[in-house]
Amino acid sequence: MIRIKFVYLQRYGNHPNLKDMKKQQIQIEHALRSTSANIIWKVISTEGGLGRWIADEVKEDHGKFSFTWGEEWGHHEKRTATTLEKVKNSHIRMQWDDETDPEAYLELRMVRTEITEGYLLQVTDYALPEDVDSLYDIWDQNFEQLRAATGL
């Protein structure tokens, strides 16, 4: 999991050649194994919840999230994101502080399904066209970690 995170950071981090390149929006839906809005909300919007499946460590301070992949004492990567919008039991939208595309953001949204009365996690993210497949792979791994760590 950590190796793929580093590839993501290298591709999407602060890179001078990416300044003027437009990213493509992707949306991914993942069925969750819970009907509890409160549980899901904590997993997608709090440092403790996000730290269980998005990164090895997540800290939040006044709407600013700090994500760490890897161990502090060894090889690790850090990124920060600023919360743009947060609506309880609905969605959280943030933008990476080193993002070069002003239209790009990361959004985690809870969507209630009428048929099963369960929830989907809808992820909106952005990637350069040549990196879309890699980003899908990263989110597949995140969803596997989400299920392993939380049962969702």
Side-chain angles (χ1 to χ4, degrees), residues 84-142:
L84 302 175
E85 188 172 283
K86 189 174 185 179
V87 178
K88 186 174 182 181
N89 292 341
S90 175
H91 66 277
I92 183 167
R93 181 181 292 184
M94 57 187 89
Q95 186 174 52
W96 296 111
D97 292 340
D98 59 1
E99 180 58 65
T100 57
D101 183 342
E103 311 244 339
Y105 58 87
L106 170 63
E107 182 177 272
L108 304 173
R109 180 177 293 270
M110 301 167 46
V111 179
R112 184 139 174 112
T113 61
E114 292 180 20
I115 296 173
T116 65
E117 295 187 8
Y119 284 92
L120 296 174
L121 176 58
Q122 184 180 69
V123 175
T124 303
D125 205 347
Y126 287 78
L128 295 171
E130 63 270 18
D131 294 328
V132 167
D133 289 340
S134 295
L135 189 56
Y136 277 114
D137 290 342
I138 289 167
W139 279 109
D140 283 345
Q141 278 205 328
N142 285 342

Side-chain angles (χ1 to χ4, degrees), residues 8 25-27 40 43 51 60 83 87 107 122 124 130 139:
Y8 177 84
Q25 184 186 80
I26 65 164
Q27 287 194 337
I40 296 167
V43 169
E60 181 187 14
T83 303
V87 178
E107 182 177 272
Q122 184 180 69
T124 303
E130 63 270 18
W139 279 109

Side-chain angles (χ1 to χ4, degrees), residues 5-52:
K5 296 290 186 189
F6 293 146
V7 170
Y8 177 84
L9 292 170
Q10 291 167 354
R11 286 192 174 167
Y12 303 106
N14 191 9
H15 191 281
N17 296 335
L18 301 180
K19 266 186 181 175
D20 300 319
M21 298 188 85
K22 191 78 170 160
K23 293 184 178 178
Q24 176 180 330
Q25 184 186 80
I26 65 164
Q27 287 194 337
I28 307 166
E29 288 186 348
H30 177 74
L32 299 174
R33 295 180 179 170
S34 177
T35 57
S36 171
N38 289 330
I39 290 172
I40 296 167
W41 180 245
K42 287 178 185 173
V43 169
I44 70 168
S45 68
T46 66
E47 62 184 37
L50 291 168
R52 296 181 75 188

